[in-house]
Amino acid sequence: MHRRAYFLLERDFQELKENNFKGITAFPVSEDLMEWGANIEGLQNTFWHGLFFQLTINFTSQYNFVPPIVKFLTIPFHPNVDQNTGRACIDFLDDPDKWTTSYTLSSILLALQVMLSNPALENPVNLEAAQMLIKDESLYKQVVLGLFNQPSEMTDNSPEFPKDPDKLTRSTKAISFNDYYKTWSGIATSKATEYYRSPWLEDPNFIVEYYKWKKAELKHPKEWNLK
């Protein structure tokens, strides 16, 4: 079983290197390929663009029959990211019944990149982020951008990432929601736009189509423009 997972992850790594997706890198940090580090930049034409996030991806010998555990080390203020653990909460990662063997390392990372600017708000793991986004999009944007200079970062048992001077990495202490909410509570008043209420990731065909768009190096749809 472990040999099968190793072979599949080797294949996934080769696929990722061949496609060279913009804003996405990943690399194994263990010899058995079960532990990975990754860097994701937000999509172009969104306010997430230019923000870089470090993640860990932990596979098991049962891959690709079961999903990996994905956690942000640079924890964004986001409805679908646990603000305490950094765990990314997407249906196909959380629910084994929604996971299929068609998912690869590349499709997982692409889904996470899309998730940043297209959050699912039905069952948010970070309720404060979801409520702020629904009530006041401009305030939410200000908080995300303001906090990126001092993001919450996981420190225990974190893998050592390869040093890469081309990648932007910020490290500082975590702060509470109340602290940063008070900081930004007087900024902006506009409502969140309607497309936040239509999560793209609920469409089972979306990831497949998005994957094709990325390979063709097409421009992102206007629906992703959050400016």
Side-chain angles (χ1 to χ4, degrees):
M1 183 69 75
H2 186 279
R3 184 176 179 181
R4 178 181 181 278
Y6 186 93
F7 172 79
L8 290 172
L9 287 167
E10 277 192 323
R11 179 205 64 184
D12 286 2
F13 194 26
Q14 186 62 33
E15 176 193 42
L16 186 67
K17 290 188 291 185
E18 289 176 355
N19 284 283
N20 191 28
F21 296 112
K22 185 173 179 59
I24 292 176
T25 58
F27 39 83
V29 294
S30 64
E31 292 184 0
D32 62 1
L33 302 188
M34 294 295 104
E35 298 178 21
W36 291 66
N39 290 289
I40 293 179
E41 179 186 10
L43 287 175
Q44 292 182 347
N45 301 319
T46 75
F47 69 78
W48 294 91
H49 183 62
L51 307 185
F52 293 86
F53 299 89
Q54 289 186 345
L55 304 92
T56 60
I57 308 172
N58 292 316
F59 297 91
T60 69
S61 59
Q62 293 179 298
Y63 180 74
N64 60 356
F65 295 122
V66 297
I69 295 176
V70 181
K71 292 183 179 181
F72 282 84
L73 295 182
T74 312
I75 304 176
F77 181 57
H78 192 280
N80 307 130
V81 179
D82 190 299
Q83 60 188 338
N84 298 310
T85 67
R87 183 159 181 165
C89 299
I90 298 181
D91 55 3
F92 67 84
L93 292 178
D94 291 337
D95 186 350
D97 292 334
K98 295 184 178 180
W99 169 266
T100 73
T101 55
S102 63
Y103 287 113
T104 65
L105 177 62
S106 292
S107 59
I108 292 169
L109 292 171
L110 288 168
L112 291 169
Q113 189 182 46
V114 173
M115 179 198 76
L116 287 173
S117 50
N118 294 273
L121 300 180
E122 282 73 12
N123 296 294
V125 65
N126 185 334
L127 185 59
E128 292 91 346
Q131 290 175 335
M132 183 182 295
L133 177 56
I134 292 171
K135 183 178 180 180
D136 194 330
E137 177 196 352
S138 293
L139 174 59
Y140 175 75
K141 176 180 176 180
Q142 293 282 358
V143 169
V144 169
L145 296 177
L147 286 175
F148 193 72
N149 290 319
Q150 45 182 14
S152 303
E153 295 209 4
M154 297 294 295
T155 53
D156 0 46
N157 302 319
S158 299
E160 184 176 349
F161 280 73
K163 294 182 179 179
D164 185 347
D166 294 327
K167 294 296 178 183
L168 178 62
T169 305
R170 300 177 174 86
S171 177
T172 185
K173 64 180 181 179
I175 60 176
S176 70
F177 172 77
N178 287 334
D179 289 339
Y180 57 67
Y181 184 81
K182 288 178 181 178
T183 301
W184 295 103
S185 59
I187 303 176
T189 56
S190 63
K191 287 187 176 181
T193 51
E194 288 299 321
Y195 49 77
Y196 279 114
R197 300 180 178 87
S198 302
W200 294 87
L201 296 178
E202 288 191 353
D203 182 353
N205 297 317
F206 176 69
I207 295 302
V208 175
E209 292 303 316
Y210 175 69
Y211 185 71
K212 293 178 182 177
W213 295 334
K214 293 286 285 189
K215 291 185 70 173
E217 297 183 353
L218 297 178
K219 293 182 179 180
H220 302 297
K222 292 182 179 179
E223 286 84 354
W224 296 351
N225 191 335
L226 304 188
K227 295 189 294 183

